[in-house]
Amino acid sequence: MSDDRRKDGEKNILELSLLHRAMEFFEQPQSWAVWRVALLAMLLAGGMGLAWRAASAPVVVAFAAGALLLLFFAADSLLLRYLPRRRISFGPWKAQAIVLLLPRAATGAALALVGAWAGWAAALLALLALQLLGLALLWWGAVVEPQRLSLTRLEVTLPGLPADAPPVRLLHISDIHLERITAREEALLALAASAEPDAIVITGDYVNLSYNRDEKTLSQVRGLLQRLRAPHGVYATLGSPPVDLRQTVAPLFEDLPVCLLRDGWAALDLGQGRRLVILGVDCTHHLDEDGQRLHEVVSAAPNGVPRLLLYHSPELMPQAAAHGLDLYLCGHTHGGQVRLPLLGPILTSSQLGRRYVMGHYREGSTQLYVSRGVGLEGLSAPRVRFLAPPEITLVEVSGLRKGRDTEDHGEGREERRRV
């Protein structure tokens, strides 16, 4: 049963996840008066100060530690309030400030152990340095990296295309997550035009979770989609049901020059013997159901030409490989959105975990590209990216040349261009 046919009030599998519930829980301070948010910050700062006192810090040192925490909470709050004024992002500043305060307070409490071992002056200096580092990382993650939208070029070869014909140029866009039009969306349109694709494919999550009922956001998404053009058309699928609400987002495509594929397919003839079938499957994240609907679409679609699957998440890769689909384009993971050096993504919001996070994969004859996407997660999630800059991808699909091994597991050649 697809999500637009489920009972009213029945939650999607994503809404039942621990991540989504945490984002909903921490959204609550957004409805509070500022004094209540400040009071909670003071209580957390006081708790950190008590941790220092419990480790035998002098009263004045424990007070200074708590005051430092409040100072950086205020700095975070000012930065978060600056973002919408500069039209960078439009998240709820009070909710985000509390979310960011928690790791600051936890780090500060842990430094009490440093003070007990190395001295309280050293502990205060370490606290100041780490809090400054946190502020610098927030500036980078909230102001700089989300605006570094790039065009990634990926070359793949598939059987069934003429080896001597020009490559098919497919521009893949995913996870726009629009709140309000910003410089990032204008850069998206500029890069899309400069790429000169044969066709454009979009794999869902058009609106931000916090704005998926907002009339201005929905109108701006529709206007953005109207400006995307390619000689052989624009093809799209819907994203996660809690984000792309079927009752608000699906109607945006009416009368647009965009082919919305909801468990359907479209055949493209690009000339010079280049033919392609695009399969589009609605994403509900109920993998048994989605896999069954993929089977039905594959059974109904033409065979004998390269087949491209559009599905919001990489979670159907095992089924796509079992069907022998040639190419699979998706997003959803944001590349983790926040990645740590050496450790990689903290979260992927995928039921397959870190198996397919971002970039190019191959299983059997099926090639997969997972886009890092364009936008940012919603609700109380901080509007930041770190080591996962936004991207759109120009996939250049060529036929196999004579003598080339069809089982070549090469990663493909990638390059990036940013505006």
Side-chain angles (χ1 to χ4, degrees):
M1 179 170 47
S2 63
D3 268 62
D4 49 353
R5 295 195 299 269
R6 293 180 187 278
K7 295 178 181 178
D8 290 342
E10 185 177 348
K11 289 185 178 291
N12 178 267
I13 191 169
L14 281 190
E15 295 173 290
L16 297 173
S17 69
L18 181 60
L19 173 61
H20 189 92
R21 289 178 172 180
M23 290 193 302
E24 288 184 322
F25 177 79
F26 286 108
E27 183 80 358
Q28 295 178 66
Q30 190 58 30
S31 62
W32 296 357
V34 173
W35 70 265
R36 289 186 64 191
V37 176
L39 178 60
L40 178 57
M42 286 188 284
L43 288 173
L44 287 169
M48 193 191 80
L50 288 175
W52 282 52
R53 282 292 293 145
S56 302
V59 172
V60 66
V61 171
F63 180 84
L68 269 178
L69 184 66
L70 286 177
L71 175 66
F72 283 97
F73 168 76
D76 288 349
S77 300
L78 288 173
L79 175 56
L80 294 171
R81 297 189 72 175
Y82 161 87
L83 298 175
R85 293 173 183 175
R86 294 301 302 269
R87 302 189 64 79
I88 295 172
S89 65
F90 295 82
W93 76 268
K94 287 180 281 188
Q96 290 183 84
I98 293 299
V99 169
L100 292 168
L101 180 61
L102 294 176
R104 285 192 181 279
T107 301
L111 283 174
L113 300 176
V114 173
W117 171 67
W120 296 108
L124 274 177
L125 284 173
L127 178 63
L128 176 62
L130 287 175
Q131 299 293 345
L132 280 170
L133 177 61
L135 184 59
L137 292 177
L138 176 59
W139 174 266
W140 176 267
V143 177
V144 180
E145 188 162 315
Q147 302 303 315
R148 295 170 65 87
L149 178 69
S150 64
L151 177 69
T152 301
R153 295 177 182 269
L154 174 69
E155 297 177 357
V156 300
T157 55
L158 298 180
L161 289 174
D164 56 352
V168 177
R169 296 164 62 85
L170 301 171
L171 182 66
H172 177 216
I173 302 170
S174 193
D175 297 273
I176 297 171
H177 284 300
L178 189 79
E179 295 175 314
R180 292 286 186 268
I181 292 291
T182 68
R184 183 171 59 244
E185 287 74 35
E186 294 297 338
L188 164 62
L189 292 169
L191 282 173
S194 69
E196 299 181 340
D198 296 310
I200 297 175
V201 294
I202 315 174
T203 50
D205 275 10
Y206 301 90
V207 294
N208 186 278
L209 187 57
S210 299
Y211 287 79
N212 56 7
R213 297 181 188 273
D214 184 87
E215 290 298 328
K216 185 173 181 179
T217 298
L218 296 170
S219 175
Q220 290 187 348
V221 168
R222 183 176 169 86
L224 181 69
L225 293 172
Q226 283 178 324
R227 296 172 65 184
L228 293 171
R229 292 285 190 273
H232 294 275
V234 181
Y235 303 85
T237 55
L238 295 176
S240 300
V243 179
D244 285 350
L245 294 174
R246 285 6 183 194
Q247 65 269 36
T248 61
V249 174
L252 297 179
F253 291 85
E254 295 176 5
D255 302 322
L256 280 183
V258 178
C259 178
L260 180 62
L261 296 171
R262 302 194 66 183
D263 305 330
W265 56 272
L268 276 66
D269 188 341
L270 299 106
Q272 298 179 272
R274 300 173 301 166
R275 297 171 60 214
L276 186 70
V277 169
I278 300 179
L279 316 175
V281 176
D282 253 17
C283 176
T284 72
H285 300 287
H286 295 274
L287 299 187
D288 289 342
E289 296 175 13
D290 291 1
Q292 178 58 36
R293 287 184 289 107
L294 171 62
H295 173 75
E296 293 169 1
V297 174
V298 169
S299 299
N303 205 342
V305 296
R307 295 174 295 174
L308 162 63
L309 172 63
L310 305 180
Y311 179 78
H312 176 61
S313 164
E315 293 164 319
L316 285 188
M317 181 56 172
Q319 293 91 327
H323 284 292
L325 299 181
D326 298 284
L327 182 60
Y328 176 1
L329 300 178
C330 67
H332 180 63
T333 64
H334 300 193
Q337 190 165 309
V338 174
R339 300 172 62 87
L340 300 180
L342 302 179
L343 297 179
I346 299 175
L347 298 165
T348 66
S349 193
S350 168
Q351 295 173 71
L352 301 183
R354 295 156 61 108
R355 186 171 173 183
Y356 311 107
V357 177
M358 68 180 193
H360 187 224
Y361 301 85
R362 181 165 181 166
E363 289 188 11
S365 61
T366 302
Q367 298 190 61
L368 166 70
Y369 192 84
V370 185
S371 172
R372 295 191 299 271
V374 174
L376 302 161
E377 193 57 83
L379 291 178
S380 59
R383 304 302 197 265
V384 298
R385 281 183 178 266
F386 190 70
L387 300 182
E391 70 172 346
I392 59 176
T393 309
L394 183 64
V395 185
E396 298 183 304
V397 186
S398 302
L400 289 172
R401 299 190 182 279
K402 187 176 180 180
R404 181 156 183 173
D405 184 1
T406 59
E407 294 300 319
D408 181 12
H409 284 225
E411 290 299 310
R413 188 163 63 88
E414 295 184 26
E415 62 180 54
R416 298 182 179 91
R417 183 158 59 88
R418 188 172 66 246
V419 296

